[in-house]
Amino acid sequence: DLVGTEEVRPTPKAKLLQPPPQPAINWKTVAAGAEGVTAAEALAASITSLPAYQEAINAFEAHPLKKTASRACIYSGSEHARVLLLCDKPRNDEDRAGEVLAGNNLVLTERMLAAIGLQAMESRETAEAVSMASFLHWRPPGNRAPTELEAKMSVPLVRKLIALLQPRLIL
């Protein structure tokens, strides 16, 4: 009587082959994201110099990370350096200092640069100076990874900074 009534359970392999459930699309967020990227592109297009870049970034209210960060971490070093060290995002020390790198991150970076004949500061003349910039100008809360929107809004701004600095090499 019970033949053929057994419950069929999926094997672990079958579970792996199923696509993950897709989250519902929040169209308000998508629209706000597109507007934010457009605002960042318009801002980048309007900037003509490094001092204007710093002023514009400090005044840019559309980026969601600006609301949670203490300070903008834009760039440091010589604007004429041939090498640009592009860092990913500010962390706690950088956020407090308003610098691209600070604390242990700066010490470790200076040591690594010195090992290859480069320097983060212009104090010594024996090694080539490096300018440093941050891909994200504001620290994400809890040092988390940036969201896709936060990264997309940063792209036109960083492209403009690179165009202004005109490095020959980007690390």
Side-chain angles (χ1 to χ4, degrees):
D1 281 72
L2 298 176
V3 176
T5 60
E6 292 179 24
E7 181 181 341
V8 177
R9 296 178 190 229
T11 64
K13 188 175 183 180
K15 284 184 181 180
L16 293 175
L17 298 176
Q18 296 174 354
Q22 296 298 315
I25 296 174
N26 181 341
W27 291 106
K28 287 183 181 180
T29 305
V30 171
E35 290 170 6
V37 172
T38 302
E41 290 169 345
L43 177 66
S46 71
I47 300 169
T48 58
S49 68
L50 283 171
Y53 185 90
Q54 285 190 306
E55 287 177 28
I57 294 302
N58 287 324
F60 188 51
E61 298 295 329
H63 202 289
L65 291 177
K66 181 163 184 183
K67 295 167 183 64
T68 59
S70 299
R71 296 182 180 171
C73 304
I74 303 169
Y75 80 94
S76 62
S78 171
E79 61 187 72
H80 303 290
R82 296 185 317 164
V83 179
L84 171 64
L85 176 63
L86 187 59
C87 302
D88 60 345
K89 64 182 178 183
R91 287 161 179 78
N92 290 336
D93 289 340
E94 290 83 13
D95 185 52
R96 279 187 232 108
E99 297 291 336
V100 175
L101 290 173
N104 290 336
N105 293 329
L106 179 59
V107 171
L108 180 59
T109 301
E110 286 177 334
R111 287 179 184 166
M112 288 189 293
L113 290 172
I116 59 171
L118 300 173
Q119 64 185 20
M121 302 298 174
E122 297 182 72
S123 59
R124 291 171 270 159
E125 295 183 23
T126 58
E128 183 169 342
V130 174
S131 60
M132 296 184 291
S134 187
F135 174 74
L136 289 178
H137 295 319
W138 301 277
R139 180 184 70 87
N143 294 330
R144 66 166 168 72
T147 65
E148 185 177 348
L149 172 62
E150 293 163 352
K152 282 183 178 182
M153 287 182 71
S154 294
V155 169
L157 302 173
V158 172
R159 282 187 176 154
K160 182 58 155 193
L161 181 59
I162 291 169
L164 293 170
L165 290 171
Q166 298 182 353
R168 294 187 71 201
L169 176 66
I170 300 174
L171 301 174

